């Protein structure tokens, strides 16, 4: 003869309820921790560990000094370019603008994100010219110039190369790297975005890195 089951007490029911909640939230937490530590970059070539930048002094488009300390406290995407290559540089800035727009979630990340165009032609790209060129892009965009030696030293830290080439018509062009360098809020080089640059995957990488 089967025994009749006794009804569970309130204490037993409460214990089972709490156990179930702990299992759910514990699994959620562990799942998130696993996801955080198993981050697989989609576009960025990560440096492990991130690389601090050596001291430098450049000049921004407002003719103010720009030093490594000003990279701290936000995420910064550094772009190589120069104004004579107007279409190519504008296309790169357009890409950076689309990345910025995709960082609206969370809004705090977008507020802490900046784009800096580093001139590969500092003799010609004065602060005034940079200011005029960058005016349509708004506050998150900074233009940096300086003496050629300082620019070359910074480029070397970022894994960039550039070469000024005389053209057949007596003019010149600057052949340079096209990779984008990501700086974290500690002012360190996190990695480079190279190859085919897609704003969606770049933004996703930045979002995930910022979540760590």
């Amino acid at each position: 003869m089967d025994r009749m089951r006794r009804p569970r007490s309130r204490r037993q029911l409460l214990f089972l309820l709490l156990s179930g909640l702990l299992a759910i939230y514990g699994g959620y937490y562990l799942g998130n921790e696993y996801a955080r530590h198993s981050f697989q970059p989609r576009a960025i070539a990560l440096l492990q560990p991130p690389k601090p930048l050596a001291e430098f002094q450049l000049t921004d488009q407002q003719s103010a000094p720009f030093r490594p300390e000003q990279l701290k406290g936000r995420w910064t995407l550094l772009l190589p370019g120069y104004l004579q290559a107007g279409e190519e540089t504008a296309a790169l800035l357009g890409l950076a603008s689309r990345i910025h727009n995709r960082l609206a979630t969370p809004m705090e990340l977008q507020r802490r994100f900046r784009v800096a165009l580093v001139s590969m032609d500092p003799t010609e790209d004065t602060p005034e010219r940079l200011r005029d060129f960058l005016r349509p892009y708004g506050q998150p965009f900074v233009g940096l110039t300086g003496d050629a030696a300082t620019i070359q030293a910074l480029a070397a830290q970022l894994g960039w190369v550039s070469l000024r080439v005389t053209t057949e018509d007596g003019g010149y062009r600057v052949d340079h790297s096209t990779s984008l360098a990501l700086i974290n809020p500690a002012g360190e080089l996190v990695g480079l975005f190279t190859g085919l640059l897609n704003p969606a995957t770049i933004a996703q990488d930045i979002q995930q890195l910022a979540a760590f």
Side-chain angles (χ1 to χ4, degrees), residues 180-202:
L180 315 183
L182 182 65
I183 309 297
N184 66 17
E188 302 166 324
L189 175 62
V190 175
L192 297 173
F193 295 102
T194 62
L196 295 175
L197 301 173
N198 181 296
T201 54
I202 291 174

Side-chain angles (χ1 to χ4, degrees), residues 111-160:
R111 285 194 292 263
R112 295 172 56 233
F113 179 76
R114 174 175 54 190
V115 176
L117 173 66
V118 181
S119 172
M120 297 289 101
D121 187 17
T123 304
E124 298 295 328
D125 294 347
T126 63
E128 294 77 18
R129 291 191 67 201
L130 285 169
R131 183 171 63 248
D132 291 342
F133 192 85
L134 291 172
R135 187 172 286 116
Y137 297 94
Q139 189 175 1
F141 287 75
V142 177
L144 300 177
T145 188
D147 64 82
T150 302
I151 292 287
Q152 289 292 338
L154 176 60
Q157 292 190 71
L158 302 174
W160 294 346

